[in-house]
Amino acid sequence: MACFLVPAAEAVVVTAAYFVVKKKEQKLQAPKLSGASGIDQEEKKITWSKRLSWLLALLWGGVFLLAFEHFWHGEIVPFPPFLTAMSNPADAAEMFHEMLTVGVSMAVIVTAAWGAICAIVSANVKKVNAAKPVKDK
Amino acid sequence: MTLLITVIAAVVATILWYTNEQRKTYKLGTLALMYWGASLMWFIDFVFEYAELKAEYFNQAFADILNDTLLGVSVVVLGLVAWVIILLIKDPKGVLRK
């Protein structure tokens, strides 16, 4: 009915977090680019903005395609109240129940999948960084 | 069927991302993640529906299967359209700026 609204809300929050993190990273990156910092440039690192961009692609992609599915089934209309379930209280109650069960589960599984992706990538990057000095010799 | 078609699209996009050297230029990771995001969400939808209907879930009328298949194909096409729009906005090869 409107289960995708829960991941959509998460996507909005993550988008805001992404821009804040990106700005902070750019501030930290500026001295590095000018060569003022002695921080090792060779070490591979996955930034938090990069990690959040993966979550954004998962969330917005899913939300966009699910919104289309809801439109296909006539559950979303391009005029108020936009969600057909909102037109009567019984359907609205069912919709809120679905958002709390299906919607929350969707947000949790997507976030968990993203966590797994981040863990795998971090482990691989650690392996690459650990192997680097040996290779250089 | 929608879930199945979206998972197939996600797997194909992931294979393309893995095998293509220009994965970053063509934003193949974004395409794969978009389809995986939708697949995960539809999987949850399937789990809840299956818990409610049990085996009855698989006894669908031909018209429903056809409708779901059409929806799945439309979803894949819409995903591709979204990806092309992202690609044109980011314009990694600078084609539009020339």
Side-chain angles (χ1 to χ4, degrees):
Chain A
M1 277 181 165
C3 47
F4 72 97
L5 289 180
V6 179
E10 186 189 348
V12 170
V13 173
V14 175
T15 305
Y18 169 79
F19 283 114
V20 171
V21 170
K22 183 113 182 155
K23 219 174 182 183
K24 275 188 182 172
E25 282 172 357
Q26 277 172 344
K27 271 186 188 170
L28 286 172
Q29 201 72 20
K32 272 195 210 177
L33 291 173
S34 62
S37 165
I39 296 167
D40 186 10
Q41 299 281 315
E42 292 296 308
E43 196 175 315
K44 265 199 165 189
K45 233 162 84 179
I46 304 290
T47 58
W48 270 100
S49 62
K50 186 78 196 158
R51 289 167 205 239
L52 288 175
S53 74
W54 301 335
L55 182 58
L56 283 179
L58 281 168
L59 286 169
W60 282 123
V63 166
F64 176 61
L65 296 177
L66 257 80
F68 174 72
E69 185 238 37
H70 284 70
F71 178 73
W72 181 283
H73 288 134
E75 290 164 355
I76 294 179
V77 284
F79 44 83
F82 301 109
L83 298 163
T84 45
M86 289 299 281
S87 50
N88 78 71
D91 282 349
E94 199 185 326
M95 182 190 79
F96 287 124
H97 179 258
E98 202 186 276
M99 281 169 72
L100 278 174
T101 52
V102 184
V104 170
S105 304
M106 283 175 175
V108 168
I109 199 169
V110 169
T111 312
W114 168 73
I117 293 169
C118 287
I120 292 165
V121 172
S122 291
N124 281 340
V125 168
K126 268 185 192 169
K127 263 187 211 171
V128 169
N129 285 335
K132 244 184 188 167
V134 180
K135 263 188 186 175
D136 291 345
K137 281 173 193 174
Chain B
M1 276 310 267
T2 312
L3 170 64
L4 209 63
I5 292 169
T6 316
V7 170
I8 291 167
V11 169
V12 170
T14 307
I15 291 168
L16 285 174
W17 167 81
Y18 192 81
T19 55
N20 201 312
E21 287 295 321
Q22 289 185 302
R23 60 180 75 88
K24 270 191 180 173
T25 311
Y26 294 114
K27 305 232 160 269
L28 291 170
T30 306
L31 180 69
L33 286 172
M34 270 169 52
Y35 285 139
W36 279 120
S39 299
L40 286 169
M41 290 182 195
W42 269 312
F43 175 71
I44 290 294
D45 206 35
F46 158 75
V47 168
F48 275 88
E49 257 189 81
Y50 181 76
E52 195 184 317
L53 301 170
K54 303 277 184 307
E56 196 60 36
Y57 177 87
F58 299 104
N59 292 328
Q60 291 178 9
F62 178 73
D64 290 340
I65 295 171
L66 192 69
N67 187 272
D68 264 7
T69 308
L70 263 174
L71 174 61
V73 173
S74 306
V75 159
V76 172
V77 172
L78 198 67
L80 286 171
V81 169
W83 171 66
V84 167
I85 291 169
I86 292 169
L87 205 63
L88 289 175
I89 291 170
K90 300 263 179 184
D91 193 19
K93 288 201 157 185
V95 177
L96 297 174
R97 278 170 274 162
K98 276 179 191 168

